Amino acid sequence: MWRSRRQAARNIRTLGTITSLGLAACALPAAADWADLSAGMITENFDGENYHVAKDFPETLTDGQAYAIEGYVVPIEAQAYIQSFLLVEDPSSCPFCGSDPSMSPALEVMLKAPIPDLPEFTYVRVEGTLEFVNDPETFQLFRLVGARPMKPTTN
C-alpha cells in the first residue's frame, strides 16, 4: 500500500509537470516584429460622396493571436492610472509629433488592468491579443487588447 501511494504521487507530479509545460508552450505569444505590422495596407476610396478605407492585413498575422511586442509609450491622456496608450517603434514615429508619411505604425494598447501612469517614451514590452480593426472609417489596422506590461528584453 505504501509503495502504491508513493508511486501514485510520483505519477501525479510527473503528469502535472508535463501538463504545465504543455500549457506554457501553447500560451507563448508570437514573436513580434514591427515589420509585420508595417506590412498592412490601407487604401482610401472615394465613391461619389461616400468615403471608406479598404484594409489589407498581412498574411503573417492572425486576428485574435497571442502577441508580444516592444516599443515606446505614447500617452493618450494624462491620468494617475492608465488603461490604454499608443506604442510606437521609435520615438520619432509619434503620431502626435509630426506628419511624416513614412512613419512606422502606432499600435493601440488596451491593458487588462490599469497601471500607474508611464512617462512619455518609456520603453516597454507588452503581451496581449492582437485584434484587426476592420472598420471602414479609420486608418487604424491593429490594437492589442487584454494586454499586460512585461519587462523589456532590450532597449
Side-chain angles (χ1 to χ4, degrees):
M1 177 115 174
W2 171 258
R3 186 167 217 207
S4 63
R5 281 189 190 170
R6 187 178 351 190
Q7 187 60 42
R10 212 177 275 149
N11 289 345
I12 290 170
R13 276 196 306 267
T14 302
L15 180 59
T17 302
I18 291 169
T19 303
S20 61
L21 288 174
L23 290 176
C26 294
L28 290 176
D33 185 351
W34 283 96
D36 289 336
L37 297 178
S38 297
M41 299 297 292
I42 297 172
T43 308
E44 291 181 90
N45 295 307
F46 297 95
D47 181 18
E49 293 182 18
N50 298 320
Y51 168 84
H52 72 278
V53 177
K55 301 177 181 183
D56 291 316
F57 299 98
E59 292 180 10
T60 57
L61 300 174
T62 305
D63 190 20
Q65 78 182 66
Y67 203 69
I69 193 161
E70 295 180 11
Y72 295 89
V73 172
V74 177
I76 297 172
E77 294 182 75
Q79 298 177 337
Y81 286 85
I82 58 172
Q83 194 144 5
S84 64
F85 55 87
L86 296 180
L87 193 70
V88 294
E89 179 180 18
D90 185 279
S92 66
S93 297
C94 170
F96 305 126
C97 302
S99 59
D100 182 3
S102 65
M103 289 191 308
S104 63
L107 178 64
E108 180 183 11
V109 177
M110 302 171 81
L111 298 170
K112 187 172 187 169
I115 61 170
D117 190 20
L118 297 170
E120 186 174 28
F121 302 130
T122 299
Y123 192 78
V124 298
R125 174 183 170 89
V126 287
E127 296 180 357
T129 303
L130 188 68
E131 264 186 8
F132 291 178
V133 179
N134 289 308
D135 69 68
E137 293 88 28
T138 68
F139 279 25
Q140 183 180 16
L141 286 170
F142 311 100
R143 74 172 59 99
L144 193 65
V145 298
R148 56 192 175 102
M150 309 300 289
K151 184 177 178 181
T153 57
T154 61
N155 188 0

